[in-house]
């Protein structure tokens, strides 16, 4: 993988906000949109531990994730596809996620100034981390169907 590809992917992850997290559990496959923050290729999100996708993660850590915009022109499509593992985090790792998330989404970072509904919702969520094992960057502006695999062996996946 070229350094240029890695930089483009990490910039894409930084510049977008919503990921679709796909899980599978006893009720079958499920997908949910979550706001996320990235640190390199690692994603952090918060969600209710009683949501279907988080209940699925408690059973199996395997996930698929996509991040993309809503395009109408096939030649403009760009996005990220991830296969990896996800799970609840706590302690120092949760604190890191909170700080990163708060920088990207100031409303969450400044809870003392947030509306009561946000504060109440934040009391009910847990923090989760997605560690990619495989990651692809789709960029049809380089050719229809252009899909490059990012070499994660050189990155800090932990």
């Amino acid at each position: 993988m070229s350094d240029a590809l890695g930089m483009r992917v990490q910039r894409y992850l930084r510049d977008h906000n919503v990921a679709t997290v796909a899980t599978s559990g006893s009720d079958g496959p499920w997908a949910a949109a979550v706001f996320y923050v990235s640190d390199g290729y690692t994603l952090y999100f918060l969600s209710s531990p009683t949501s279907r996708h988080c209940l699925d993660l408690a059973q199996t850590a395997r996930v698929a994730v996509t991040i993309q915009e809503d395009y109408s022109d096939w030649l403009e499509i760009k996005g990220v596809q991830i296969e990896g593992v996800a799970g609840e985090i706590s302690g120092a790792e949760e604190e890191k996620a909170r700080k990163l998330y708060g920088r990207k989404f100031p409303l969450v970072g400044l809870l003392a100034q947030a509306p009561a509904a946000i504060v109440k919702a934040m009391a009910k969520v847990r923090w989760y981390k997605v560690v990619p094992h495989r990651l692809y960057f789709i960029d049809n502006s380089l050719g229809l169907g252009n899909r490059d695999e990012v070499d994660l062996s050189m990155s800090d996946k932990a």
Side-chain angles (χ1 to χ4, degrees):
M1 168 187 70
S2 72
D3 288 341
L5 175 60
M7 289 173 37
R8 283 178 53 224
V9 172
Q10 289 184 34
R11 183 173 50 249
Y12 191 91
L13 292 173
R14 276 193 312 270
D15 291 347
H16 290 80
N17 301 311
V18 178
T20 301
V21 176
T23 60
S24 185
S26 58
D27 291 331
W30 188 251
V34 298
F35 283 97
Y36 76 92
V37 65
S38 61
D39 183 27
Y41 301 113
T42 299
L43 307 181
Y44 297 97
F45 68 93
L46 50 88
S47 196
S48 168
T50 61
S51 63
R52 182 167 167 183
H53 57 283
C54 291
L55 291 172
D56 287 349
L57 290 176
Q59 291 179 25
T60 179
R62 292 186 64 201
V63 295
V65 177
T66 62
I67 300 162
Q68 71 283 323
E69 296 171 49
D70 184 16
Y71 295 96
S72 60
D73 182 345
W74 287 13
L75 298 176
E76 293 179 12
I77 293 173
K78 290 184 178 76
V80 174
Q81 296 173 313
I82 294 172
E83 176 185 334
V85 295
E88 189 175 336
I89 57 172
S90 61
E93 197 153 40
E94 178 184 339
E95 186 59 32
K96 175 183 178 179
R98 282 179 184 274
K99 287 180 182 176
L100 290 168
Y101 204 89
R103 282 188 222 128
K104 188 170 185 177
F105 304 107
L107 186 64
V108 173
L110 302 169
L111 277 182
Q113 300 170 19
I118 296 290
V119 174
K120 185 177 178 181
M122 289 297 293
K124 298 177 183 177
V125 299
R126 299 292 180 271
W127 291 88
Y128 296 84
K129 172 179 161 179
V130 176
V131 178
H133 291 169
R134 296 182 81 185
L135 187 150
Y136 296 93
F137 187 60
I138 293 85
D139 187 349
N140 280 359
S141 72
L142 299 175
L144 193 59
N146 188 80
R147 181 174 179 243
D148 294 311
E149 184 169 5
V150 175
D151 180 1
L152 298 173
S153 65
M154 301 297 287
S155 71
D156 177 18
K157 296 190 291 182

